[in-house]
Amino acid sequence: MSEDLGFFFALMLNGASIGLMYALIALGFVLVYKATDAINFAQGEFVMMSGLIAAVVLGIAGMPLIAAVLATVAIMIGFSFGLERIVLRPLLGRPVVAVIMATIGLAAMLRGLAPVVFGGEPRAVSLPIGDDPIVIGPASLPPIQVVGAVVAVLFFLGFTWFFKKSRMGVAMRAVADNQQVAQAMGINVERYFALAWAMAGIVSAVGGIVWGSMLGVDVHLALVGLKVFPVVILGGLDSIGGALVGGLIIGIVENLAAGYLDPYVGGGTKDFAPYVLMIVVLMVKPYGIFGKRRIERV
């Protein structure tokens, strides 16, 4: 393999692994949108909170890894249930913009409370994963990226089966399509709203552990939600497969931009390249690559 081809392959593989980790966070956006028809702008803050909780739990002497992960997931499920019941359920039936503004306010509140509760210093999420890179051809991948990519694929397979084959998944899709009709058919809309937020809490918990292990945890980890936003817009807000494809595309594009363009412009292209791509795609396909087109009669 030539040096140029090897460099390209390494950028592609690194970008794909990061893209799968983006897709895992994007899955939280999709789960909430599929059930409630609203965007959770606090998804990045959910990841930040999960990472902080995981850092605290893992820091308890003698705490096994599995117990720490399960405790983090359980806390985030409880947090998501409480949030849905106290903040979001009173907004049921209100315009979607009301829910969106509530999540924006929640995001600001969590960013402000996190340093008060956990302190302002960065925390480490220590996982028993080695530091020796995993070499695949010319590419050298950090072990945490490989673990994160594998976890993301497993979650996508699981949630795809859930929505397509399980009774609860089909009911959640019905709620997303039309809440009034679903309720008339005997579906408990409030229960499935709560379930959607709980599932987003699970995804956030796992994402917070993985991203926190790779980057460390402080309030800036919440920015991963902003980084992931082009992924969900590109793939389609209501498509699980779209989140996966969008994550891969964004991860690869930003890595290729950093590898080929940064030497000429002095750096920083990976920070805005995904947004440029998002805007271009939206001009051609406003609902994203796999998003469901909606036609409203007026």
PDB file of all heavy atoms in Angstrom, residues 217-258:
ATOM      1  N   VAL A 217     -13.939  14.577  31.875  1.00  0.00           N
ATOM      2  CA  VAL A 217     -15.281  15.132  32.071  1.00  0.00           C
ATOM      3  C   VAL A 217     -15.218  16.471  32.779  1.00  0.00           C
ATOM      4  O   VAL A 217     -14.622  16.594  33.851  1.00  0.00           O
ATOM      5  CB  VAL A 217     -16.168  14.175  32.894  1.00  0.00           C
ATOM      6  CG1 VAL A 217     -17.606  14.688  32.893  1.00  0.00           C
ATOM      7  CG2 VAL A 217     -16.118  12.773  32.344  1.00  0.00           C
ATOM      8  N   ASP A 218     -15.807  17.475  32.170  1.00  0.00           N
ATOM      9  CA  ASP A 218     -16.131  18.747  32.806  1.00  0.00           C
ATOM     10  C   ASP A 218     -17.306  19.337  32.028  1.00  0.00           C
ATOM     11  O   ASP A 218     -17.911  18.652  31.206  1.00  0.00           O
ATOM     12  CB  ASP A 218     -14.926  19.702  32.858  1.00  0.00           C
ATOM     13  CG  ASP A 218     -14.345  19.980  31.476  1.00  0.00           C
ATOM     14  OD1 ASP A 218     -15.029  19.684  30.462  1.00  0.00           O
ATOM     15  OD2 ASP A 218     -13.222  20.498  31.384  1.00  0.00           O
ATOM     16  N   VAL A 219     -17.644  20.579  32.289  1.00  0.00           N
ATOM     17  CA  VAL A 219     -18.823  21.152  31.622  1.00  0.00           C
ATOM     18  C   VAL A 219     -18.656  21.213  30.110  1.00  0.00           C
ATOM     19  O   VAL A 219     -19.646  21.247  29.370  1.00  0.00           O
ATOM     20  CB  VAL A 219     -19.137  22.560  32.171  1.00  0.00           C
ATOM     21  CG1 VAL A 219     -19.589  22.479  33.610  1.00  0.00           C
ATOM     22  CG2 VAL A 219     -17.928  23.486  32.037  1.00  0.00           C
ATOM     23  N   HIS A 220     -17.411  21.220  29.635  1.00  0.00           N
ATOM     24  CA  HIS A 220     -17.185  21.319  28.193  1.00  0.00           C
ATOM     25  C   HIS A 220     -17.577  20.039  27.453  1.00  0.00           C
ATOM     26  O   HIS A 220     -17.723  20.056  26.232  1.00  0.00           O
ATOM     27  CB  HIS A 220     -15.717  21.650  27.899  1.00  0.00           C
ATOM     28  CG  HIS A 220     -15.283  22.969  28.481  1.00  0.00           C
ATOM     29  ND1 HIS A 220     -15.803  24.165  28.049  1.00  0.00           N
ATOM     30  CD2 HIS A 220     -14.399  23.274  29.456  1.00  0.00           C
ATOM     31  CE1 HIS A 220     -15.252  25.160  28.723  1.00  0.00           C
ATOM     32  NE2 HIS A 220     -14.397  24.649  29.592  1.00  0.00           N
ATOM     33  N   LEU A 221     -17.734  18.928  28.188  1.00  0.00           N
ATOM     34  CA  LEU A 221     -18.157  17.696  27.523  1.00  0.00           C
ATOM     35  C   LEU A 221     -19.549  17.847  26.929  1.00  0.00           C
ATOM     36  O   LEU A 221     -19.909  17.149  25.982  1.00  0.00           O
ATOM     37  CB  LEU A 221     -18.127  16.524  28.512  1.00  0.00           C
ATOM     38  CG  LEU A 221     -18.397  15.137  27.924  1.00  0.00           C
ATOM     39  CD1 LEU A 221     -17.333  14.759  26.894  1.00  0.00           C
ATOM     40  CD2 LEU A 221     -18.461  14.081  29.025  1.00  0.00           C
ATOM     41  N   ALA A 222     -20.337  18.787  27.456  1.00  0.00           N
ATOM     42  CA  ALA A 222     -21.678  19.021  26.918  1.00  0.00           C
ATOM     43  C   ALA A 222     -21.637  19.467  25.462  1.00  0.00           C
ATOM     44  O   ALA A 222     -22.617  19.319  24.731  1.00  0.00           O
ATOM     45  CB  ALA A 222     -22.413  20.065  27.761  1.00  0.00           C
ATOM     46  N   LEU A 223     -20.495  20.011  25.035  1.00  0.00           N
ATOM     47  CA  LEU A 223     -20.382  20.477  23.648  1.00  0.00           C
ATOM     48  C   LEU A 223     -20.470  19.340  22.646  1.00  0.00           C
ATOM     49  O   LEU A 223     -20.662  19.579  21.455  1.00  0.00           O
ATOM     50  CB  LEU A 223     -19.060  21.235  23.458  1.00  0.00           C
ATOM     51  CG  LEU A 223     -18.920  22.542  24.241  1.00  0.00           C
ATOM     52  CD1 LEU A 223     -17.527  23.132  24.042  1.00  0.00           C
ATOM     53  CD2 LEU A 223     -19.982  23.541  23.805  1.00  0.00           C
ATOM     54  N   VAL A 224     -20.320  18.090  23.132  1.00  0.00           N
ATOM     55  CA  VAL A 224     -20.441  16.963  22.212  1.00  0.00           C
ATOM     56  C   VAL A 224     -21.848  16.925  21.615  1.00  0.00           C
ATOM     57  O   VAL A 224     -22.045  16.466  20.478  1.00  0.00           O
ATOM     58  CB  VAL A 224     -20.102  15.629  22.922  1.00  0.00           C
ATOM     59  CG1 VAL A 224     -21.189  15.221  23.906  1.00  0.00           C
ATOM     60  CG2 VAL A 224     -19.889  14.516  21.907  1.00  0.00           C
ATOM     61  N   GLY A 225     -22.845  17.437  22.359  1.00  0.00           N
ATOM     62  CA  GLY A 225     -24.195  17.504  21.809  1.00  0.00           C
ATOM     63  C   GLY A 225     -24.275  18.429  20.615  1.00  0.00           C
ATOM     64  O   GLY A 225     -24.971  18.146  19.635  1.00  0.00           O
ATOM     65  N   LEU A 226     -23.544  19.549  20.689  1.00  0.00           N
ATOM     66  CA  LEU A 226     -23.510  20.475  19.556  1.00  0.00           C
ATOM     67  C   LEU A 226     -22.761  19.864  18.382  1.00  0.00           C
ATOM     68  O   LEU A 226     -23.136  20.050  17.219  1.00  0.00           O
ATOM     69  CB  LEU A 226     -22.847  21.785  19.990  1.00  0.00           C
ATOM     70  CG  LEU A 226     -22.898  22.958  19.006  1.00  0.00           C
ATOM     71  CD1 LEU A 226     -24.333  23.351  18.711  1.00  0.00           C
ATOM     72  CD2 LEU A 226     -22.117  24.148  19.557  1.00  0.00           C
ATOM     73  N   LYS A 227     -21.698  19.108  18.683  1.00  0.00           N
ATOM     74  CA  LYS A 227     -20.944  18.441  17.611  1.00  0.00           C
ATOM     75  C   LYS A 227     -21.792  17.388  16.907  1.00  0.00           C
ATOM     76  O   LYS A 227     -21.616  17.130  15.712  1.00  0.00           O
ATOM     77  CB  LYS A 227     -19.699  17.770  18.218  1.00  0.00           C
ATOM     78  CG  LYS A 227     -18.628  18.721  18.680  1.00  0.00           C
ATOM     79  CD  LYS A 227     -17.715  19.135  17.541  1.00  0.00           C
ATOM     80  CE  LYS A 227     -16.826  17.973  17.131  1.00  0.00           C
ATOM     81  NZ  LYS A 227     -15.879  18.394  16.064  1.00  0.00           N
ATOM     82  N   VAL A 228     -22.702  16.775  17.667  1.00  0.00           N
ATOM     83  CA  VAL A 228     -23.507  15.679  17.124  1.00  0.00           C
ATOM     84  C   VAL A 228     -24.713  16.190  16.348  1.00  0.00           C
ATOM     85  O   VAL A 228     -25.282  15.461  15.534  1.00  0.00           O
ATOM     86  CB  VAL A 228     -23.937  14.748  18.287  1.00  0.00           C
ATOM     87  CG1 VAL A 228     -25.061  13.820  17.885  1.00  0.00           C
ATOM     88  CG2 VAL A 228     -22.740  13.948  18.773  1.00  0.00           C
ATOM     89  N   PHE A 229     -25.084  17.447  16.551  1.00  0.00           N
ATOM     90  CA  PHE A 229     -26.288  17.957  15.899  1.00  0.00           C
ATOM     91  C   PHE A 229     -26.256  17.807  14.375  1.00  0.00           C
ATOM     92  O   PHE A 229     -27.275  17.422  13.774  1.00  0.00           O
ATOM     93  CB  PHE A 229     -26.532  19.410  16.301  1.00  0.00           C
ATOM     94  CG  PHE A 229     -27.933  19.859  16.076  1.00  0.00           C
ATOM     95  CD1 PHE A 229     -28.984  19.270  16.762  1.00  0.00           C
ATOM     96  CD2 PHE A 229     -28.230  20.856  15.164  1.00  0.00           C
ATOM     97  CE1 PHE A 229     -30.295  19.663  16.550  1.00  0.00           C
ATOM     98  CE2 PHE A 229     -29.533  21.255  14.942  1.00  0.00           C
ATOM     99  CZ  PHE A 229     -30.568  20.663  15.634  1.00  0.00           C
ATOM    100  N   PRO A 230     -25.134  18.096  13.697  1.00  0.00           N
ATOM    101  CA  PRO A 230     -25.115  17.854  12.243  1.00  0.00           C
ATOM    102  C   PRO A 230     -25.367  16.398  11.878  1.00  0.00           C
ATOM    103  O   PRO A 230     -25.886  16.108  10.797  1.00  0.00           O
ATOM    104  CB  PRO A 230     -23.699  18.286  11.834  1.00  0.00           C
ATOM    105  CG  PRO A 230     -23.268  19.242  12.881  1.00  0.00           C
ATOM    106  CD  PRO A 230     -23.887  18.750  14.148  1.00  0.00           C
ATOM    107  N   VAL A 231     -25.012  15.481  12.782  1.00  0.00           N
ATOM    108  CA  VAL A 231     -25.233  14.057  12.501  1.00  0.00           C
ATOM    109  C   VAL A 231     -26.721  13.764  12.371  1.00  0.00           C
ATOM    110  O   VAL A 231     -27.165  13.128  11.405  1.00  0.00           O
ATOM    111  CB  VAL A 231     -24.614  13.193  13.621  1.00  0.00           C
ATOM    112  CG1 VAL A 231     -24.996  11.731  13.431  1.00  0.00           C
ATOM    113  CG2 VAL A 231     -23.101  13.349  13.643  1.00  0.00           C
ATOM    114  N   VAL A 232     -27.519  14.240  13.353  1.00  0.00           N
ATOM    115  CA  VAL A 232     -28.952  13.928  13.321  1.00  0.00           C
ATOM    116  C   VAL A 232     -29.670  14.682  12.215  1.00  0.00           C
ATOM    117  O   VAL A 232     -30.633  14.176  11.625  1.00  0.00           O
ATOM    118  CB  VAL A 232     -29.605  14.224  14.685  1.00  0.00           C
ATOM    119  CG1 VAL A 232     -29.104  13.260  15.729  1.00  0.00           C
ATOM    120  CG2 VAL A 232     -29.363  15.643  15.137  1.00  0.00           C
ATOM    121  N   ILE A 233     -29.233  15.887  11.911  1.00  0.00           N
ATOM    122  CA  ILE A 233     -29.849  16.643  10.822  1.00  0.00           C
ATOM    123  C   ILE A 233     -29.499  16.001   9.477  1.00  0.00           C
ATOM    124  O   ILE A 233     -30.353  15.869   8.590  1.00  0.00           O
ATOM    125  CB  ILE A 233     -29.378  18.113  10.834  1.00  0.00           C
ATOM    126  CG1 ILE A 233     -29.828  18.797  12.128  1.00  0.00           C
ATOM    127  CG2 ILE A 233     -29.912  18.859   9.628  1.00  0.00           C
ATOM    128  CD1 ILE A 233     -31.324  18.852  12.311  1.00  0.00           C
ATOM    129  N   LEU A 234     -28.263  15.561   9.343  1.00  0.00           N
ATOM    130  CA  LEU A 234     -27.816  14.954   8.089  1.00  0.00           C
ATOM    131  C   LEU A 234     -28.528  13.631   7.839  1.00  0.00           C
ATOM    132  O   LEU A 234     -29.035  13.375   6.742  1.00  0.00           O
ATOM    133  CB  LEU A 234     -26.297  14.734   8.135  1.00  0.00           C
ATOM    134  CG  LEU A 234     -25.630  14.213   6.869  1.00  0.00           C
ATOM    135  CD1 LEU A 234     -25.708  15.252   5.761  1.00  0.00           C
ATOM    136  CD2 LEU A 234     -24.167  13.857   7.154  1.00  0.00           C
ATOM    137  N   GLY A 235     -28.589  12.772   8.859  1.00  0.00           N
ATOM    138  CA  GLY A 235     -29.188  11.453   8.671  1.00  0.00           C
ATOM    139  C   GLY A 235     -30.702  11.473   8.667  1.00  0.00           C
ATOM    140  O   GLY A 235     -31.333  10.619   8.060  1.00  0.00           O
ATOM    141  N   GLY A 236     -31.300  12.426   9.366  1.00  0.00           N
ATOM    142  CA  GLY A 236     -32.756  12.471   9.501  1.00  0.00           C
ATOM    143  C   GLY A 236     -33.130  12.303  10.965  1.00  0.00           C
ATOM    144  O   GLY A 236     -32.732  11.329  11.605  1.00  0.00           O
ATOM    145  N   LEU A 237     -33.895  13.249  11.502  1.00  0.00           N
ATOM    146  CA  LEU A 237     -34.187  13.261  12.935  1.00  0.00           C
ATOM    147  C   LEU A 237     -34.968  12.041  13.408  1.00  0.00           C
ATOM    148  O   LEU A 237     -34.917  11.690  14.581  1.00  0.00           O
ATOM    149  CB  LEU A 237     -34.971  14.534  13.286  1.00  0.00           C
ATOM    150  CG  LEU A 237     -34.138  15.784  13.550  1.00  0.00           C
ATOM    151  CD1 LEU A 237     -35.019  17.014  13.520  1.00  0.00           C
ATOM    152  CD2 LEU A 237     -33.424  15.674  14.882  1.00  0.00           C
ATOM    153  N   ASP A 238     -35.708  11.401  12.515  1.00  0.00           N
ATOM    154  CA  ASP A 238     -36.554  10.286  12.931  1.00  0.00           C
ATOM    155  C   ASP A 238     -36.035   8.940  12.447  1.00  0.00           C
ATOM    156  O   ASP A 238     -36.765   7.961  12.426  1.00  0.00           O
ATOM    157  CB  ASP A 238     -37.985  10.494  12.437  1.00  0.00           C
ATOM    158  CG  ASP A 238     -38.049  10.710  10.925  1.00  0.00           C
ATOM    159  OD1 ASP A 238     -36.980  10.740  10.291  1.00  0.00           O
ATOM    160  OD2 ASP A 238     -39.159  10.861  10.402  1.00  0.00           O
ATOM    161  N   SER A 239     -34.757   8.874  12.089  1.00  0.00           N
ATOM    162  CA  SER A 239     -34.214   7.643  11.510  1.00  0.00           C
ATOM    163  C   SER A 239     -33.035   7.132  12.339  1.00  0.00           C
ATOM    164  O   SER A 239     -32.019   7.819  12.469  1.00  0.00           O
ATOM    165  CB  SER A 239     -33.767   7.885  10.062  1.00  0.00           C
ATOM    166  OG  SER A 239     -33.080   6.762   9.557  1.00  0.00           O
ATOM    167  N   ILE A 240     -33.184   5.924  12.882  1.00  0.00           N
ATOM    168  CA  ILE A 240     -32.081   5.310  13.624  1.00  0.00           C
ATOM    169  C   ILE A 240     -30.932   4.983  12.668  1.00  0.00           C
ATOM    170  O   ILE A 240     -29.770   5.263  12.951  1.00  0.00           O
ATOM    171  CB  ILE A 240     -32.566   4.047  14.352  1.00  0.00           C
ATOM    172  CG1 ILE A 240     -33.500   4.438  15.490  1.00  0.00           C
ATOM    173  CG2 ILE A 240     -31.400   3.238  14.887  1.00  0.00           C
ATOM    174  CD1 ILE A 240     -34.080   3.270  16.250  1.00  0.00           C
ATOM    175  N   GLY A 241     -31.268   4.413  11.512  1.00  0.00           N
ATOM    176  CA  GLY A 241     -30.237   4.139  10.513  1.00  0.00           C
ATOM    177  C   GLY A 241     -29.584   5.413  10.018  1.00  0.00           C
ATOM    178  O   GLY A 241     -28.382   5.448   9.747  1.00  0.00           O
ATOM    179  N   GLY A 242     -30.371   6.491   9.928  1.00  0.00           N
ATOM    180  CA  GLY A 242     -29.824   7.769   9.503  1.00  0.00           C
ATOM    181  C   GLY A 242     -28.807   8.307  10.491  1.00  0.00           C
ATOM    182  O   GLY A 242     -27.797   8.904  10.093  1.00  0.00           O
ATOM    183  N   ALA A 243     -29.045   8.105  11.793  1.00  0.00           N
ATOM    184  CA  ALA A 243     -28.079   8.537  12.804  1.00  0.00           C
ATOM    185  C   ALA A 243     -26.760   7.791  12.633  1.00  0.00           C
ATOM    186  O   ALA A 243     -25.671   8.373  12.767  1.00  0.00           O
ATOM    187  CB  ALA A 243     -28.635   8.305  14.210  1.00  0.00           C
ATOM    188  N   LEU A 244     -26.840   6.498  12.319  1.00  0.00           N
ATOM    189  CA  LEU A 244     -25.629   5.701  12.113  1.00  0.00           C
ATOM    190  C   LEU A 244     -24.866   6.172  10.880  1.00  0.00           C
ATOM    191  O   LEU A 244     -23.651   6.427  10.942  1.00  0.00           O
ATOM    192  CB  LEU A 244     -26.006   4.228  11.969  1.00  0.00           C
ATOM    193  CG  LEU A 244     -24.860   3.247  11.732  1.00  0.00           C
ATOM    194  CD1 LEU A 244     -23.892   3.263  12.900  1.00  0.00           C
ATOM    195  CD2 LEU A 244     -25.407   1.837  11.504  1.00  0.00           C
ATOM    196  N   VAL A 245     -25.583   6.321   9.775  1.00  0.00           N
ATOM    197  CA  VAL A 245     -24.935   6.767   8.532  1.00  0.00           C
ATOM    198  C   VAL A 245     -24.420   8.198   8.675  1.00  0.00           C
ATOM    199  O   VAL A 245     -23.300   8.518   8.257  1.00  0.00           O
ATOM    200  CB  VAL A 245     -25.912   6.656   7.348  1.00  0.00           C
ATOM    201  CG1 VAL A 245     -25.313   7.262   6.080  1.00  0.00           C
ATOM    202  CG2 VAL A 245     -26.291   5.201   7.102  1.00  0.00           C
ATOM    203  N   GLY A 246     -25.230   9.067   9.282  1.00  0.00           N
ATOM    204  CA  GLY A 246     -24.813  10.446   9.487  1.00  0.00           C
ATOM    205  C   GLY A 246     -23.570  10.539  10.353  1.00  0.00           C
ATOM    206  O   GLY A 246     -22.670  11.342  10.093  1.00  0.00           O
ATOM    207  N   GLY A 247     -23.503   9.718  11.405  1.00  0.00           N
ATOM    208  CA  GLY A 247     -22.322   9.711  12.252  1.00  0.00           C
ATOM    209  C   GLY A 247     -21.075   9.302  11.502  1.00  0.00           C
ATOM    210  O   GLY A 247     -20.009   9.918  11.643  1.00  0.00           O
ATOM    211  N   LEU A 248     -21.189   8.256  10.689  1.00  0.00           N
ATOM    212  CA  LEU A 248     -20.044   7.808   9.889  1.00  0.00           C
ATOM    213  C   LEU A 248     -19.602   8.891   8.916  1.00  0.00           C
ATOM    214  O   LEU A 248     -18.399   9.162   8.771  1.00  0.00           O
ATOM    215  CB  LEU A 248     -20.404   6.526   9.135  1.00  0.00           C
ATOM    216  CG  LEU A 248     -20.535   5.257   9.988  1.00  0.00           C
ATOM    217  CD1 LEU A 248     -21.114   4.118   9.159  1.00  0.00           C
ATOM    218  CD2 LEU A 248     -19.167   4.850  10.562  1.00  0.00           C
ATOM    219  N   ILE A 249     -20.554   9.521   8.249  1.00  0.00           N
ATOM    220  CA  ILE A 249     -20.208  10.560   7.272  1.00  0.00           C
ATOM    221  C   ILE A 249     -19.525  11.739   7.953  1.00  0.00           C
ATOM    222  O   ILE A 249     -18.467  12.209   7.501  1.00  0.00           O
ATOM    223  CB  ILE A 249     -21.461  11.036   6.514  1.00  0.00           C
ATOM    224  CG1 ILE A 249     -22.005   9.918   5.615  1.00  0.00           C
ATOM    225  CG2 ILE A 249     -21.149  12.274   5.667  1.00  0.00           C
ATOM    226  CD1 ILE A 249     -23.329  10.255   4.959  1.00  0.00           C
ATOM    227  N   ILE A 250     -20.099  12.221   9.058  1.00  0.00           N
ATOM    228  CA  ILE A 250     -19.523  13.379   9.747  1.00  0.00           C
ATOM    229  C   ILE A 250     -18.140  13.053  10.296  1.00  0.00           C
ATOM    230  O   ILE A 250     -17.201  13.852  10.180  1.00  0.00           O
ATOM    231  CB  ILE A 250     -20.456  13.852  10.876  1.00  0.00           C
ATOM    232  CG1 ILE A 250     -21.755  14.421  10.297  1.00  0.00           C
ATOM    233  CG2 ILE A 250     -19.759  14.878  11.766  1.00  0.00           C
ATOM    234  CD1 ILE A 250     -21.564  15.644   9.424  1.00  0.00           C
ATOM    235  N   GLY A 251     -18.002  11.877  10.908  1.00  0.00           N
ATOM    236  CA  GLY A 251     -16.699  11.494  11.449  1.00  0.00           C
ATOM    237  C   GLY A 251     -15.626  11.427  10.386  1.00  0.00           C
ATOM    238  O   GLY A 251     -14.504  11.915  10.572  1.00  0.00           O
ATOM    239  N   ILE A 252     -15.966  10.838   9.241  1.00  0.00           N
ATOM    240  CA  ILE A 252     -14.988  10.705   8.152  1.00  0.00           C
ATOM    241  C   ILE A 252     -14.684  12.063   7.528  1.00  0.00           C
ATOM    242  O   ILE A 252     -13.516  12.392   7.266  1.00  0.00           O
ATOM    243  CB  ILE A 252     -15.520   9.714   7.094  1.00  0.00           C
ATOM    244  CG1 ILE A 252     -15.520   8.292   7.662  1.00  0.00           C
ATOM    245  CG2 ILE A 252     -14.677   9.776   5.822  1.00  0.00           C
ATOM    246  CD1 ILE A 252     -16.219   7.273   6.784  1.00  0.00           C
ATOM    247  N   VAL A 253     -15.720  12.890   7.310  1.00  0.00           N
ATOM    248  CA  VAL A 253     -15.518  14.194   6.682  1.00  0.00           C
ATOM    249  C   VAL A 253     -14.624  15.082   7.537  1.00  0.00           C
ATOM    250  O   VAL A 253     -13.688  15.718   7.038  1.00  0.00           O
ATOM    251  CB  VAL A 253     -16.874  14.885   6.414  1.00  0.00           C
ATOM    252  CG1 VAL A 253     -16.685  16.364   6.131  1.00  0.00           C
ATOM    253  CG2 VAL A 253     -17.580  14.218   5.252  1.00  0.00           C
ATOM    254  N   GLU A 254     -14.876  15.145   8.848  1.00  0.00           N
ATOM    255  CA  GLU A 254     -14.063  16.024   9.683  1.00  0.00           C
ATOM    256  C   GLU A 254     -12.631  15.507   9.793  1.00  0.00           C
ATOM    257  O   GLU A 254     -11.691  16.295   9.883  1.00  0.00           O
ATOM    258  CB  GLU A 254     -14.689  16.219  11.056  1.00  0.00           C
ATOM    259  CG  GLU A 254     -14.668  15.042  11.979  1.00  0.00           C
ATOM    260  CD  GLU A 254     -15.142  15.422  13.382  1.00  0.00           C
ATOM    261  OE1 GLU A 254     -15.859  16.428  13.525  1.00  0.00           O
ATOM    262  OE2 GLU A 254     -14.777  14.686  14.333  1.00  0.00           O
ATOM    263  N   ASN A 255     -12.447  14.191   9.753  1.00  0.00           N
ATOM    264  CA  ASN A 255     -11.094  13.642   9.822  1.00  0.00           C
ATOM    265  C   ASN A 255     -10.326  13.895   8.526  1.00  0.00           C
ATOM    266  O   ASN A 255      -9.137  14.222   8.544  1.00  0.00           O
ATOM    267  CB  ASN A 255     -11.147  12.148  10.119  1.00  0.00           C
ATOM    268  CG  ASN A 255     -10.165  11.741  11.196  1.00  0.00           C
ATOM    269  OD1 ASN A 255     -10.001  12.461  12.182  1.00  0.00           O
ATOM    270  ND2 ASN A 255      -9.521  10.609  11.036  1.00  0.00           N
ATOM    271  N   LEU A 256     -11.014  13.737   7.382  1.00  0.00           N
ATOM    272  CA  LEU A 256     -10.372  14.034   6.095  1.00  0.00           C
ATOM    273  C   LEU A 256     -10.043  15.514   5.979  1.00  0.00           C
ATOM    274  O   LEU A 256      -8.980  15.884   5.458  1.00  0.00           O
ATOM    275  CB  LEU A 256     -11.287  13.602   4.944  1.00  0.00           C
ATOM    276  CG  LEU A 256     -11.489  12.095   4.746  1.00  0.00           C
ATOM    277  CD1 LEU A 256     -12.492  11.836   3.630  1.00  0.00           C
ATOM    278  CD2 LEU A 256     -10.159  11.400   4.436  1.00  0.00           C
ATOM    279  N   ALA A 257     -10.936  16.373   6.462  1.00  0.00           N
ATOM    280  CA  ALA A 257     -10.671  17.810   6.429  1.00  0.00           C
ATOM    281  C   ALA A 257      -9.443  18.156   7.260  1.00  0.00           C
ATOM    282  O   ALA A 257      -8.593  18.950   6.840  1.00  0.00           O
ATOM    283  CB  ALA A 257     -11.900  18.577   6.935  1.00  0.00           C
ATOM    284  N   ALA A 258      -9.354  17.548   8.455  1.00  0.00           N
ATOM    285  CA  ALA A 258      -8.197  17.812   9.310  1.00  0.00           C
ATOM    286  C   ALA A 258      -6.905  17.307   8.680  1.00  0.00           C
ATOM    287  O   ALA A 258      -5.857  17.959   8.786  1.00  0.00           O
ATOM    288  CB  ALA A 258      -8.406  17.159  10.677  1.00  0.00           C
TER     289      ALA A 258
END
